[in-house]
Each structure stands twice: as structure tokens, then as C-alpha cells.
């Protein structure tokens, strides 16, 4: 289904750094010299889920003649913003900065990326908003970066990857959630890994195919951890947005999590409702790629099983190739739900858009 009305909020678009050298003006003097001395500016740290030239990395009509998909501002403006007549689009820069082992270097890169996106993208189109990129392996430095960027209301979310050194619910990460909650910033958990551990439960895979497919199961682990550790009890206003790993795994996860919780709830006495109910209240999912079944009746069944109209958020995942034309929405959704997916759910999830 094409987007039926203008004014939607696209919750997942991906501007890409054309190269690392564009960040040089955004490092302070120390880090600029450090990066140049080590030759780090000659490398590219784009977080890649596929081989660079794989079609899925960028739709053919969304690829610039030169450079990586998503790196051309005018193309993103005309294709993602004008093309879908969006009111807002939230920029999520996927970059290896968040996986760098040195916490200080990771923080320096994240600061530079946040200043770069603000100066070179957000400043050029009032419809653009962005997520704050943070050095996840140092919660203290990540919280500092959230505090620094929060002064700019165009930052509406904190961006992390689903697979980190520790599961996302662990207390080590709580300073990040505290800083985010203090500034009305949801945590956007994007598909991806900092590769401290194998991305599958079984060990290191050989192929991109195994890697990318396994990310949807990683999201189930994210929910297990956030809910069991009591993150939403400690931070009752926190919202978490799961991005780019489908939707239809959710009803099965809800069933398994609720069933198991009934049996072992004594070990997590801080949970005063079922895991599925915590998810319905605190967790949102972007709809691209929407792993919709072929028949509309099946889609209706999944929507009924999720049993919450607030959870789905519109996204194109520009410039990745999940669909053609403007068919970003699956067919067969009720009109009232479409309106919520396109606009209302995002406005409630991201207070800073108001
Ligand atoms: Zn994405």
C-alpha cells in the first residue's frame, strides 16, 4: 500500500557519511590530530550488514551516481521527504563509531557524527530530526553525550544497536536510560551488533545471510533483558523503539514470554504485569521491513494478536531496499490503524516532535 496521506513521520532513514574526512572539522584539535596521525580518516567505518555493492544496501533508484547510498543530501530530501510527503524524518546514522573498542575514541567519533548531522543535514531541512549516536560501551560517556546533545531539540532519540557487550537490560546501561528519560528521549534500538559476541546463539556464522536473518531473534533477547531486569520499572516513562527487524515475530515472543513468566515470576517480583503488557506499554516497532504474510487475513490475525494499536511506527528505512515505489505500508490495515502508524504513534513516542 502506498502512503495514503501527507504528513507522515518516517522513523528510520539512514544518512550515510560519504567518508571519514567529512568529520575532521567536527573533532576537537586533539582528536583531529590523533585521527589524522593514525590515518583513521582514510578508512570507512560504515556499519555494513551486506557487501557494499549488494542491491539490498540501496534501492537502485535511491543510489547516487557516486558514493554510498544515503550520502547525497539532495536525493534524500527529494526521495525520502518529498517523495513520501513526510512531515518529519528521523535520521539514524549507522556507523562503526559505536563499536570502537577505545571508549574515548568511540566517544570522540560519536560527538563528531552528532555535530556533523546537526550542521550538515538537520540545518538544511526543517523536516529532519536525528538520533544521538553514543559510545555504548561507556555508559558514563554515553550519558554525557546525551546531556550535551539534548540541548538541541532536533535530537529526538538515542540510537543504540541491539547487540552490545552486555544485554541491554543490564544495570551497566542504566545511566544511559536515566539521561534519555530526563530529556524525553526514547531509546532507538536498531538492528545490528558491536560484534563483541557472535550475532547468533550458536557461534560465529559464515555469511551475511545468517548474520542479518539472526537479528530478529536478537530483538527477542533485547525484550527479554529489558523487561526481566526491570528497566521499565526503574524508568516508567521510557519508550524503546525496535528498528528494522520485522514485526511478526512479536506475537510468538509475547506468548512464550508470558507463558514462561507465569511459571517463574517469583524470580522477578518487581514485574507487576506480564512481559507482553510491558512491551505494549513501552516498546514500539518500525514497520520496514514489514515481514507481512501474503494474505490480508493473516495480517489481521497478527495485528489482533499484538492487541495494541500503539506499537507500530511508519518507516521507509531509506535508502535500504525492502519495497518498490511508495509501497511502504502492507495492504489490509484498517484506516484508523494506518493513521496511528503514520502519525499519532510517533507523536506519542517522540515527545520532542511536538
Ligand atoms: Zn534501518
Amino acid at each position: 500500500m502506498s502512503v495514503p496521506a501527507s504528513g507522515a513521520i518516517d522513523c528510520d532513514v539512514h544518512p550515510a557519511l560519504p567518508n571519514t574526512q567529512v568529520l575532521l572539522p567536527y573533532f576537537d584539535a586533539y582528536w583531529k590530530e590523533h585521527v589524522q596521525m593514525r590515518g583513521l580518516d582514510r578508512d570507512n567505518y560504515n556499519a555494513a550488514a551486506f557487501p557494499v555493492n549488494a542491491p539490498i544496501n540501496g534501492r537502485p533508484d535511491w543510489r547516487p551516481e557516486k558514493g554510498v547510498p544515503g550520502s547525497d543530501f539532495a536525493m534524500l530530501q527529494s526521495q525520502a521527504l518529498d517523495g513520501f510527503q513526510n512531515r518529519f524524518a528521523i535520521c539514524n546514522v549507522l556507523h562503526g563509531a559505536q563499536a570502537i573498542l577505545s571508549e574515548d575514541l568511540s566517544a570522540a567519533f560519536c560527538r563528531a557524527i552528532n555535530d556533523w548531522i546537526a550542521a550538515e543535514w538537520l540545518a538544511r531541512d526543517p523536516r529532519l530530526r536525528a538520533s544521538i549516536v553514543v559510545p555504548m560501551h561507556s555508559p558514563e560517556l554515553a550519558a554525557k553525550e546525551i546531556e550535551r546533545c539534548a540541548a538541541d531539540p532536533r535530537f529526538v532519540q538515542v540510537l543504540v544497536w541491539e547487540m552490545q557487550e552486555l544485554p541491554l537490560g543490564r544495570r551497566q546501561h542504566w545511566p544511559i536510560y536515566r539521561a534519555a528519560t530526563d530529556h524525553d528521549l526514547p531509546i532507538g534500538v536498531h538492528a545490528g551488533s558491536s560484534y563483541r559476541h557472535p550475532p547468533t546463539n550458536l557461534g560465529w556464522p559464515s555469511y551475511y545471510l545468517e548474520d542479518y536473518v539472526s537479528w530478529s531473534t536478537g530483538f527477542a533477547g533485547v525484550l527479554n533483558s529489558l523487561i526481566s531486569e526491570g528497566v521499565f520499572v526503574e524508568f516508567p516513562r521510557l519508550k524503546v523503539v525496535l528498528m528494522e527487524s520485522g514485526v511478526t515475530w512479536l506475537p510468538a515472543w509475547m506468548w512464550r514470554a508470558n507463558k514462561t513468566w507465569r511459571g517463574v515470576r517469583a524470580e522477578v517480583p518487581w514485574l507487576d504485569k506480564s512481559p507482553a503488557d510491558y512491551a505494549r506499554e513501552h516498546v514500539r516497532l518500525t514497520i520496514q521491513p514489514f515481514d507481512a504474510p501474503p494474505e490480508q487475513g493473516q495480517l489481521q490475525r497478527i495485528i489482533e494478536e499484538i492487541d495494541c494499536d500503539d506499537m507500530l511506527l511508519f518507516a521507509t528505512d531509506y535508502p535500504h531496499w525492502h519495497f518498490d515505489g511508495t509501497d511502504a505500508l502492507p495492504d489490509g490495515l484498517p484506516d484508523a490503524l494506518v493513521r496511528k502508524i503514520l502519525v499519532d504513534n510517533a507523536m506519542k513516542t517522540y515527545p520532542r516532535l511536538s
Side-chain angles (χ1 to χ4, degrees):
M1 180 201 292
S2 290
V3 178
S6 61
I9 296 162
D10 187 339
C11 298
D12 191 27
V13 301
H14 296 297
L17 278 94
N19 53 61
T20 302
Q21 277 154 13
V22 301
L23 292 181
L24 289 177
Y26 301 100
F27 288 112
D28 65 24
Y30 169 79
W31 284 109
K32 183 176 176 185
E33 184 182 343
H34 181 94
V35 165
Q36 288 180 304
M37 181 185 67
R38 287 178 59 176
L40 301 178
D41 55 331
R42 294 200 297 271
D43 214 334
N44 177 324
Y45 304 92
N46 281 332
F50 308 104
V52 174
N53 292 320
I56 200 168
N57 257 342
R59 236 171 71 168
D61 55 332
W62 288 351
R63 278 178 179 270
E65 275 184 31
K66 279 193 302 184
V68 292
S71 61
D72 185 307
F73 175 82
M75 282 183 80
L76 183 142
Q77 192 176 41
S78 70
Q79 294 175 328
L81 295 172
D82 300 341
F84 291 90
Q85 300 179 49
N86 288 328
R87 179 174 169 200
F88 295 118
I90 300 173
C91 300
N92 295 312
V93 180
L94 302 178
H95 190 273
Q98 290 184 282
I100 293 173
L101 284 160
S102 158
E103 294 172 9
D104 293 316
L105 183 62
S106 173
F109 262 93
C110 289
R111 281 195 300 274
I113 291 169
N114 291 326
D115 289 347
W116 170 80
I117 196 82
E120 306 214 9
W121 290 73
L122 305 187
R124 292 165 72 187
D125 194 302
R127 294 169 291 183
L128 289 177
R129 298 292 184 273
S131 299
I132 303 168
V133 178
V134 294
M136 273 302 282
H137 301 294
S138 172
E140 187 188 346
L141 293 178
K144 257 189 198 170
E145 182 62 3
I146 294 168
E147 296 287 345
R148 188 183 77 89
C149 292
D152 183 341
R154 298 172 302 177
F155 285 108
V156 299
Q157 177 171 250
V158 175
L159 179 66
V160 309
W161 290 343
E162 59 175 322
M163 300 180 194
Q164 302 288 344
E165 210 147 24
L166 288 173
L168 280 170
R170 295 287 292 273
R171 280 178 178 76
Q172 172 180 323
H173 297 126
W174 288 18
I176 297 169
Y177 306 145
R178 187 163 291 114
T181 309
D182 285 349
H183 295 284
D184 288 331
L185 294 157
I187 300 291
V189 183
H190 199 278
S193 175
S194 59
Y195 293 107
R196 299 297 195 267
H197 308 289
T200 80
N201 296 333
L202 311 170
W204 288 101
S206 302
Y207 302 103
Y208 284 107
L209 170 62
E210 298 170 83
D211 183 32
Y212 190 78
V213 172
S214 68
W215 291 356
S216 68
T217 55
F219 273 118
V222 167
L223 292 190
N224 291 339
S225 176
L226 289 171
I227 292 168
S228 301
E229 298 279 358
V231 169
F232 299 122
V233 178
E234 180 73 13
F235 305 103
R237 291 192 299 117
L238 184 65
K239 292 279 194 295
V240 168
V241 180
L242 307 182
M243 295 184 282
E244 204 186 317
S245 262
V247 169
T248 60
W249 56 271
L250 187 65
W253 172 84
M254 285 175 158
W255 186 88
R256 286 178 67 85
N258 278 10
K259 178 178 184 295
T260 309
W261 169 74
R262 285 188 203 104
V264 297
R265 58 193 290 178
E267 68 169 350
V268 284
W270 43 87
L271 300 186
D272 59 11
K273 56 192 164 202
S274 72
D277 281 341
Y278 275 106
R280 290 184 182 105
E281 185 177 340
H282 294 277
V283 176
R284 306 292 175 253
L285 300 91
T286 62
I287 62 157
Q288 276 303 328
F290 200 112
D291 41 0
E295 289 179 24
Q296 291 184 15
Q298 293 171 313
L299 176 62
Q300 294 284 0
R301 183 80 185 271
I302 287 165
I303 297 291
E304 283 167 20
E305 285 173 348
I306 291 174
D307 193 23
C308 179
D309 284 353
D310 301 331
M311 293 187 79
L312 303 183
L313 305 177
F314 174 65
T316 60
D317 202 27
Y318 180 94
H320 299 164
W321 191 9
H322 302 298
F323 61 94
D324 292 317
T326 53
D327 293 338
L329 284 167
D331 288 323
L333 295 169
D335 290 347
L337 179 58
V338 167
R339 162 81 201 175
K340 293 189 86 171
I341 291 172
L342 292 178
V343 180
D344 300 347
N345 290 350
M347 292 304 290
K348 277 193 202 160
T349 304
Y350 300 99
R352 289 175 152 234
L353 289 181
S354 299

